[in-house]
């Protein structure tokens, strides 16, 4: 059966679902997590895989063909490889990717590829070990380098590096990442540090995020809220409304462009 196509009220085709599978992370990046840590969701608040699959089934039947698994850090979610395998089996899914900080990729890359994951975006804000420790508060960059290598050799390609910048890609850390990408045949995308409360964001340099005119996405948070937009406080609970109604309401509530989001934090939205 031919999949439908889904359009929002601004006639943008919505074919991309970003799924946050956890609010937990094995890093504490300064632009994402407050120093004092965060109030994490309880186990019961986190969607089970069958609940996630109910949303995915309905979204794919309505025309979603691109899915990205995010977090927190998705690889800290137990059984995430099984979830990938369940999604990869769906006929309508043409692009199945993951955004990860890469620290656990050496352990999971081959299993993810075998489960049907197609490609990965890996967070890398610098190649300097001391700066990396400073930005992530606790990170060991050697695990990141090994994770990138494992992703490339497992064939989770193209590997794209997500590099967060303050203002421009000319910043020293960004230039290090750019050179590393060139030396290793990888793509790099520069993402301006965003602020949900003030509504500050810019289009992704080298990617298609943050360009509201071409917005094609919805988000599912790890506690089951379908978000029409990253920069909106609106959200529709799949546990309260059911997946089909929550999806429809989120589609109808998509704004022309992002505003402010005073409800969520990045670590539970998956960027
Ligand atoms: S800010 Fe909202 S409308 Fe704009 S690209 Fe992001 S999700 Fe889409």
């Amino acid at each position: 059966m031919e999949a439908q196509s889904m359009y929002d009220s601004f006639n943008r085709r919505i074919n991309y679902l970003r799924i946050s599978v956890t609010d937990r992370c094995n890093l504490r990046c300064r632009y994402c997590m407050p120093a004092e840590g965060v109030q994490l969701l309880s186990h019961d608040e986190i969607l089970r895989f069958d609940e996630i699959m109910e949303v995915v089934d309905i979204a794919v039947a309505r025309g979603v063909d691109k899915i990205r698994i995010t977090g927190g850090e998705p690889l800290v979610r137990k059984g995430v490889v099984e979830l990938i395998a369940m999604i990869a089996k769906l006929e309508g899914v043409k692009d199945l990717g993951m955004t990860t900080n890469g620290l656990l990729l050496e352990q999971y890359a081959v299993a993810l590829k075998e489960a049907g994951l197609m490609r990965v975006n890996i967070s890398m804000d610098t190649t300097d070990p001391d700066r990396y420790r400073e930005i992530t508060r606790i990170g060991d960059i050697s695990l990141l380098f090994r994770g990138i290598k494992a992703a490339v050799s497992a064939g989770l390609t193209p590997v794209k590096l997500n590099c967060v910048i303050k203002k421009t890609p000319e910043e020293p850390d960004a230039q290090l990442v750019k050179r590393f990408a060139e030396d290793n045949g990888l793509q790099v995308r520069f993402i301006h540090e965003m602020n949900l409360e003030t509504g500050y964001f810019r289009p992704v340099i080298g990617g298609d995020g943050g360009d509201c005119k071409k917005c094609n996405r919805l988000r599912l948070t790890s506690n089951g809220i379908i978000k029409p937009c990253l920069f909106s406080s609106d959200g529709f609970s799949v546990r309260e409304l059911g997946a089909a109604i929550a999806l429809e309401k989120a589609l109808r509530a998509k704004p022309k462009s992002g505003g402010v989001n005073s409800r969520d934090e990045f670590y539970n939205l998956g960027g």
Side-chain angles (χ1 to χ4, degrees):
M1 188 178 77
E2 186 62 27
Q4 297 171 37
S5 290
M6 200 162 40
Y7 292 85
D8 71 3
S9 42
F10 301 97
N11 209 29
R12 294 172 295 195
R13 180 167 178 237
I14 307 303
N15 68 323
Y16 181 14
L17 180 65
R18 296 174 65 99
I19 304 172
S20 167
V21 294
T22 181
D23 61 344
R24 283 160 170 72
C25 186
N26 49 359
L27 286 179
R28 292 283 176 274
C29 299
R30 291 176 184 277
Y31 49 77
C32 179
M33 288 243 189
E36 67 279 8
V38 291
Q39 180 59 48
L40 292 170
L41 296 164
S42 70
H43 182 73
D44 297 344
E45 290 175 283
I46 299 280
L47 283 192
R48 302 182 312 272
F49 287 167
D50 61 302
E51 293 174 294
I52 294 174
M53 286 312 297
E54 195 191 337
V55 177
V56 171
D57 285 335
I58 291 167
V60 171
R62 294 202 60 186
V64 163
D65 56 18
K66 179 177 176 180
I67 291 180
R68 177 163 294 278
I69 303 297
T70 68
E73 167 50 39
L75 293 177
V76 304
R77 171 87 191 246
K78 205 159 159 283
V80 71
V81 174
E82 285 72 41
L83 177 67
I84 295 284
M86 287 188 253
I87 297 173
K89 281 199 192 83
L90 297 177
E91 207 179 312
V93 176
K94 298 194 182 85
D95 182 355
L96 179 53
M98 176 182 280
T99 297
T100 166
N101 63 30
L103 300 192
L104 295 171
L105 267 178
E106 187 179 27
Q107 197 179 330
Y108 286 104
V110 173
L112 289 166
K113 180 68 182 178
E114 286 169 358
L117 188 69
M118 297 172 188
R119 58 194 184 90
V120 287
N121 285 25
I122 303 174
S123 309
M124 178 184 249
D125 302 327
T126 183
T127 60
D128 177 287
D130 298 331
R131 280 286 298 147
Y132 184 76
R133 167 81 58 166
E134 196 187 320
I135 294 167
T136 63
R137 291 199 180 96
I138 52 176
D140 170 0
I141 203 168
S142 66
L143 295 174
L144 172 57
F145 290 135
R146 293 209 312 257
I148 292 170
K149 212 164 169 218
V152 171
S153 56
L156 293 170
T157 49
V159 170
K160 297 182 181 178
L161 302 177
N162 284 353
C163 177
V164 173
I165 55 175
K166 291 215 179 296
K167 290 207 168 43
T168 92
E170 305 317 312
E171 289 155 14
D173 287 320
Q175 285 299 302
L176 290 173
V177 175
K178 185 167 176 280
R179 207 165 314 128
F180 177 85
E182 284 158 2
D183 295 349
N184 293 279
L186 307 174
Q187 296 174 32
V188 59
R189 305 141 32 91
F190 296 106
I191 303 169
H192 287 84
E193 228 176 273
M194 302 180 259
N195 186 315
L196 291 171
E197 280 165 27
T198 63
Y200 179 81
F201 68 96
R202 288 288 171 274
V204 172
I205 301 169
D208 50 20
D211 182 353
C212 303
K213 289 187 301 307
K214 292 192 289 185
C215 186
N216 62 345
R217 60 204 65 196
L218 292 169
R219 288 173 173 81
L220 175 65
T221 67
S222 55
N223 58 339
I225 307 295
I226 303 186
K227 299 281 305 173
C229 165
L230 184 59
F231 282 86
S232 155
S233 299
D234 289 347
F236 303 90
S237 165
V238 297
R239 283 184 169 164
E240 286 166 23
L241 301 166
I245 294 173
L247 187 81
E248 179 60 22
K249 282 186 176 290
L251 180 68
R252 294 290 136 243
K254 276 195 72 65
K256 190 169 185 184
S257 60
V260 298
N261 180 345
S262 53
R263 170 183 179 161
D264 304 293
E265 302 283 350
F266 278 115
Y267 61 83
N268 67 16
L269 276 172

